[in-house]
Amino acid sequence: MVGDATGAEHERIVRVLVDEWAAIRDLLATLGDEEWSRPTALPAWDVRDVVAHLIGIEATLLGEPQPPPPADLAARTHVRNELGAANEAWVEAMRALRPREVLDRFVEVTDRRAAALGSMTAEDFAAPSWTPAGEATYGRFMQIRILDCWFHDQDVRDAVGRPGNDGGPAAEEALDEVVRSLGYVVGKRAAAPEGAAVTFSLTGPVRRDVHVRVAGRAEVVDELDRPADAVIRTDSATFFRLAGGRVAAADVRDRLELGGDTELATRIADRLGFMI
């Protein structure tokens, strides 16, 4: 999918991203004022802050100037890099807004972004672009935007106790992005030995078996030529929250079924959180 310049691929990415914005919009429209202030799994951010972050990224992509950094930025220990500082500037700029104002701003910005994306061509999507994962294409950047928006959709749902939208195209796209990093998780973070074979078995709402083989380096493979040495079986919601650093494996151990080499499986589960 990456770098595919076909019109169908361009249309698919735009459709999934715009539909995800609509899902977030529908969720936010149901929240009471108190729910906008509920803390999320993200350090120091409540629901309003998560939405402000989403607004800020899309506003930046529309060419809007970034707000000034917070006066106490240096004291905010959850801010670890320049991207985090930029995010915090947008979050701080919207902290004084009422919930309805934040929702209206989200609708306005995503509507403009949807129009901008719809006017782009397949060639525009294939053009070189900065992305959070390094230099790639604009289309690749938008695939990562689906991941970010969907994860934050789930952050809000977790905070207010309204589960949903945990399957379907955006969730599948988010999983595709997470899978790209599983070789790094298994080979580097968990230090799986040469020759090791690992299977992640997701039981739903997103169902998929993902295999990683260590042969010189750890890589995701379509299938294994023998039974996996270590198996991690869980529901996709738990898997996403582990990969996103929203929960620690120790806190959801009852939702994890570890098979084969349980020491290796435990080590992988404990180090699965890799996202910023």
Side-chain angles (χ1 to χ4, degrees):
M1 292 188 298
V2 179
D4 188 337
T6 67
E9 179 64 7
H10 164 220
E11 292 172 5
R12 184 192 66 79
I13 294 171
V14 173
R15 182 176 63 254
V16 175
L17 185 53
V18 171
D19 286 351
E20 176 54 33
W21 289 334
I24 295 172
R25 178 186 309 182
D26 291 346
L27 169 64
L28 298 178
T30 70
L31 302 186
D33 286 359
E34 178 273 330
E35 290 175 301
W36 284 80
S37 298
R38 290 194 187 174
T40 70
L42 303 174
W45 283 8
D46 61 14
V47 168
R48 182 201 319 261
D49 297 333
V50 169
V51 180
H53 160 62
L54 291 173
I55 293 168
I57 296 294
E58 303 308 331
T60 299
L61 291 172
L62 287 166
E64 294 189 19
Q66 181 179 308
D72 64 344
L73 180 62
R76 301 188 183 194
T77 56
H78 61 283
V79 178
R80 301 178 182 176
N81 51 40
E82 291 184 7
L83 181 57
N87 291 337
E88 204 70 12
W90 283 104
V91 166
E92 185 65 26
M94 285 181 246
R95 282 220 165 107
L97 298 182
R98 297 189 299 272
R100 183 68 211 187
E101 293 174 313
V102 179
L103 175 55
D104 288 347
R105 179 79 164 114
F106 179 81
V107 171
E108 182 266 334
V109 165
T110 54
D111 278 352
R112 283 197 288 143
R113 279 286 290 146
L117 290 170
S119 70
M120 296 178 72
T121 66
E123 288 70 27
D124 294 329
F125 261 52
S129 172
W130 175 90
T131 83
E135 290 296 320
T137 67
Y138 193 82
R140 177 85 180 93
F141 189 8
M142 292 307 98
Q143 288 177 306
I144 297 172
R145 290 301 306 135
I146 296 170
L147 167 78
D148 191 47
C149 293
W150 183 83
F151 255 91
H152 290 317
D153 174 347
Q154 297 302 305
D155 289 330
V156 172
R157 290 178 182 279
D158 287 348
V160 300
R162 300 192 192 188
N165 197 30
D166 47 5
E172 293 280 357
E173 192 78 27
L175 181 57
D176 288 344
E177 292 298 325
V178 172
V179 166
R180 295 179 194 280
S181 297
L182 290 183
Y184 165 74
V185 168
V186 170
K188 295 294 186 182
R189 290 178 60 85
E194 177 68 19
V198 177
T199 293
F200 298 86
S201 183
L202 307 186
T203 60
V206 180
R207 296 179 179 273
R208 195 180 305 183
D209 286 342
V210 181
H211 310 290
V212 178
R213 184 66 184 268
V214 183
R217 58 178 295 183
E219 293 183 317
V220 175
V221 295
D222 291 336
E223 59 184 24
L224 300 173
D225 57 6
R226 60 180 178 79
D229 299 300
V231 177
I232 300 171
R233 181 174 291 105
T234 188
D235 61 276
S236 57
T238 298
F239 176 81
F240 278 123
R241 283 155 182 75
L242 285 170
R246 272 57 172 179
V247 297
D251 296 329
V252 292
R253 197 69 79 190
D254 60 330
R255 299 181 220 165
L256 301 175
E257 182 181 338
L258 307 180
D261 183 343
T262 55
E263 191 280 329
L264 175 58
T266 299
R267 197 162 73 238
I268 293 169
D270 287 343
R271 290 161 177 79
L272 190 54
F274 66 89
M275 291 175 62
I276 297 173

